[in-house]
Amino acid sequence: MRRRFLKYIFVWTITVSIFIILFSRINYREVLEVLRGVDRSLFIIAIGISIFGNLYLSCQKYRRLLQLLKCDINLREAILIKVGTIPIKNLLPAKSGEVLRAIYLKHRHNFSYLRGGGSIFFGMGLSFIALTFFILLTGFFYNDDIKGRYYFGLPILSGLIIGAMSLRKGIFPQTTHQWLEKKNRKIAAIIRNIAELSHEKHYKRRMIALFGYSLGFEGAKAINYLLLFNACGITIPPEPALFFIPMVIMISSLPISVFGLGTRESAIIAFFSDYAPPAQLLSAGITISFVESIVPLIMGLFLMKPFLTRLVEPKNKS
């Protein structure tokens, strides 16, 4: 309990410290001036995309992932689980609130904790792969140097080959299982459990659909970044935008700050400093944080109580 409390203090300290440092170097009046001038039309469109992404794309991805792991739920229940835990997941340290999803699935669907834990790691892995795919694809197409294209093209080709092999023979080879057994038996058990599903019927179709929803959800985030950059009067060429935005999303997903606040703004300032002054970039970061973190949080508050109610009520009670 003490360790968990210290983690909670740690993430809030990091978040507050980052903003103290940022506003000690950037005039807050300039930031407020940019925020007052945000294009409202683009801002509203971005909110709509965020709502669609979190209510449909993210929940369909979660539903398809559970289907792959042999837990069949409908979209309505997927929304309840996924969106209803957003406030808990983000407010608890190191996103440990995700564990409640595994507890819910065990209680309501007798879904093993092993596969429930596996769904968390599997989902995070899919997001990482989707974002990495965007980075490599952008680097390949927008690189005029043949040598540079080789560096970006080789990982893409390797990924496609590995993906094709995983669809045919399973996600992880036996050597991977043996290596993980020596390093971490719990993770090895989760991966072995997931790998066994590759022999199930409809596995290939479900994997392709799952990856498609993952690409769609991360792509919707990237579109929102571009819209909100423009809403704050920042014009960024497509090459650096599509290359660095996935990196910003990855950094903001690290469990070291609350809602990704602070880390997201710092990454935006670091990566896009050639295209706008710091005050304008910080304003864009704050706007993006509101749309990508606070809007889903508000949505989650409406579903958190129904989720917790179903979590504690008897299984046979509807």
Side-chain angles (χ1 to χ4, degrees):
M1 187 69 182
R2 182 183 176 185
R3 186 179 176 184
R4 190 173 296 275
F5 178 73
L6 289 175
K7 286 182 179 179
Y8 185 80
I9 296 297
F10 173 77
V11 293
W12 275 101
T13 302
I14 290 293
T15 304
V16 173
S17 298
I18 290 174
F19 276 107
I20 289 174
I21 293 170
L22 288 175
F23 280 105
S24 69
R25 298 171 179 239
I26 300 171
N27 192 322
Y28 75 92
R29 291 189 181 89
E30 294 179 13
V31 174
L32 290 175
E33 188 65 30
V34 176
L35 290 174
R36 278 196 289 263
V38 168
D39 187 312
R40 294 182 182 179
S41 299
L42 293 177
F43 182 69
I44 292 171
I45 292 172
I47 289 177
I49 292 173
S50 179
I51 293 172
F52 173 74
N54 282 280
L55 275 182
Y56 183 75
L57 294 174
S58 176
C59 295
Q60 278 285 26
K61 172 189 169 183
Y62 184 64
R63 178 173 172 247
R64 298 287 180 143
L65 175 56
L66 291 179
Q67 283 180 344
L68 188 70
L69 297 174
K70 307 198 80 172
C71 179
D72 198 5
I73 63 173
N74 57 37
L75 180 59
R76 182 178 179 180
E77 189 171 15
I79 291 172
L80 179 68
I81 300 169
K82 187 73 175 174
V83 181
T85 55
I86 288 176
I88 306 166
K89 178 175 74 75
N90 285 290
L91 287 172
L92 288 179
K95 298 188 177 181
S96 57
E98 299 231 30
V99 176
L100 282 179
R101 294 175 185 168
I103 295 173
Y104 175 96
L105 292 171
K106 175 66 176 176
H107 174 61
R108 304 298 306 184
H109 299 278
N110 200 29
F111 190 58
S112 71
Y113 288 124
L114 185 64
R115 290 195 175 184
S119 68
I120 297 172
F121 292 108
F122 201 176
M124 291 168 62
L126 282 169
S127 295
F128 177 79
I129 291 170
L131 292 168
T132 302
F133 178 77
F134 284 132
I135 293 170
L136 294 175
L137 202 63
T138 305
F140 178 78
F141 281 109
Y142 287 103
N143 202 312
D144 295 328
D145 182 29
I146 297 297
K147 190 176 180 181
R149 286 198 171 192
Y150 172 80
Y151 287 135
F152 286 106
L154 187 61
I156 295 174
L157 182 61
S158 301
L160 290 173
I161 293 172
I162 293 170
M165 289 176 63
S166 71
L167 286 176
R168 184 174 180 178
K169 297 185 177 181
I171 300 175
F172 303 100
Q174 188 65 30
T175 51
T176 304
H177 299 163
Q178 294 170 353
W179 180 81
L180 278 169
E181 282 286 356
K182 298 177 183 179
K183 300 294 182 181
N184 192 311
R185 288 188 177 182
K186 287 184 179 180
I187 294 177
I190 289 172
I191 289 178
R192 191 188 311 109
N193 203 268
I194 293 172
E196 288 171 357
L197 299 168
S198 60
H199 304 293
E200 299 287 339
K201 189 179 179 181
H202 306 307
Y203 166 76
K204 295 179 184 179
R205 179 173 57 82
R206 287 176 175 175
M207 272 297 294
I208 291 169
L210 179 57
F211 188 62
Y213 280 115
S214 187
L215 282 173
F217 181 54
E218 302 303 333
K221 288 183 184 178
I223 289 171
N224 260 356
Y225 273 68
L226 289 171
L227 282 174
L228 293 169
F229 276 135
N230 279 279
C232 292
I234 302 171
T235 303
I236 300 174
E239 306 94 286
L242 295 175
F243 187 79
F244 288 117
I245 285 174
M247 293 186 186
V248 175
I249 295 173
M250 285 183 184
I251 292 170
S252 65
S253 299
L254 295 174
I256 58 173
S257 67
V258 182
F259 306 122
L261 295 171
T263 52
R264 182 183 293 107
E265 287 76 8
S266 300
I268 286 172
I269 292 171
F271 288 133
F272 299 108
S273 58
D274 291 339
Y275 304 99
Q280 204 169 1
L281 290 170
L282 179 55
S283 302
I286 292 171
T287 307
I288 291 168
S289 288
F290 178 83
V291 171
E292 290 298 318
S293 295
I294 306 304
V295 169
L297 171 67
I298 295 169
M299 290 163 49
L301 290 174
F302 290 100
L303 293 176
M304 186 171 67
K305 184 179 178 181
F307 169 79
L308 293 174
T309 300
R310 283 182 62 82
L311 179 66
V312 299
E313 72 181 8
K315 182 180 177 180
N316 58 355
K317 186 177 179 180
S318 58

